[in-house]
Amino acid sequence: MKILFTKVLTNTDVEKRLAVPNNSLKHFELENGNCSKSFEVKDENGSTWTFRCYVRNDGAYKKPVLSSGWRQFVLNKGVHQGDLITLYKDVEAEASYKIEVQRKIKLLGKECWSSLEPDQPTGATAQVQTTNRRNRRSYSSLAVLPDV
């Protein structure tokens, strides 16, 4: 899997549409001058979502966005402003995309990113896997997700 982009979400990204970095546009393979393309994305739970990548056809600055399907994803997953998304593309498989959403949490006094659990409301607990490097043991910890 190749990372297409990682982005901390803004209010506009969450409330309207996701602005996509211009340098990622080539990975959506818009063909024959088309200004949009629908594609399927799998989340970390294996659910499939259909998004549409749309590019303005006028002006020098194309401003690509994910429109159709994006808001439904945001609402169903409980995505908030400040969450981190990563979009991947499988370079081995044709048009295979994956999306990951993470939220910043405080664990043992340090801020870190934790994957959202399915349908997890804010204020709930998340299980976070940490590894002690000295003795190579893994520990599971519970952390309270902040209300955003």
Side-chain angles (χ1 to χ4, degrees):
M1 289 287 205
K2 175 182 179 161
I3 295 176
L4 299 186
F5 66 89
T6 297
K7 182 177 185 184
V8 176
L9 299 177
T10 66
N11 188 51
T12 301
D13 292 329
V14 172
E15 295 293 326
K16 300 189 185 283
R17 64 198 153 279
L18 174 66
V20 176
N22 278 344
N23 61 355
S24 301
L25 184 58
K26 63 185 173 207
H27 299 289
F28 294 104
E29 302 165 4
L30 298 175
E31 300 165 355
N32 301 326
N34 290 337
C35 61
S36 70
K37 179 179 181 178
S38 293
F39 61 101
E40 290 188 345
V41 179
K42 284 198 177 193
D43 66 20
E44 58 269 14
N45 300 313
S47 298
T48 302
W49 303 86
T50 302
F51 296 152
R52 188 175 123 215
C53 181
Y54 172 78
V55 180
R56 281 195 328 198
N57 218 5
D58 55 345
Y61 187 63
K62 296 189 178 206
K63 295 187 181 180
V65 296
L66 295 187
S67 54
S68 299
W70 170 251
R71 281 286 295 147
Q72 190 64 41
F73 174 80
V74 166
L75 293 172
N76 285 3
K77 299 289 280 182
V79 176
H80 295 270
Q81 177 182 345
D83 287 349
L84 178 76
I85 64 145
T86 305
L87 188 67
Y88 302 88
K89 183 176 183 187
D90 189 343
V91 292
E92 303 291 321
E94 186 176 319
S96 177
Y97 297 89
K98 180 183 173 193
I99 192 165
E100 181 180 71
V101 182
Q102 295 179 312
R103 182 161 295 149
K104 193 179 284 188
I105 63 170
K106 212 168 214 180
L107 180 64
L108 303 173
K110 293 186 179 183
E111 289 186 340
C112 60
W113 294 99
S114 174
S115 293
L116 291 182
E117 297 295 322
D119 302 321
Q120 184 180 56
T122 58
T125 57
Q127 191 164 355
V128 179
Q129 190 80 18
T130 57
T131 303
N132 183 319
R133 292 183 186 184
R134 191 177 317 171
N135 58 16
R136 305 234 187 259
R137 289 188 185 152
S138 291
Y139 301 94
S140 289
S141 304
L142 292 179
V144 176
L145 294 176
D147 291 324
V148 179

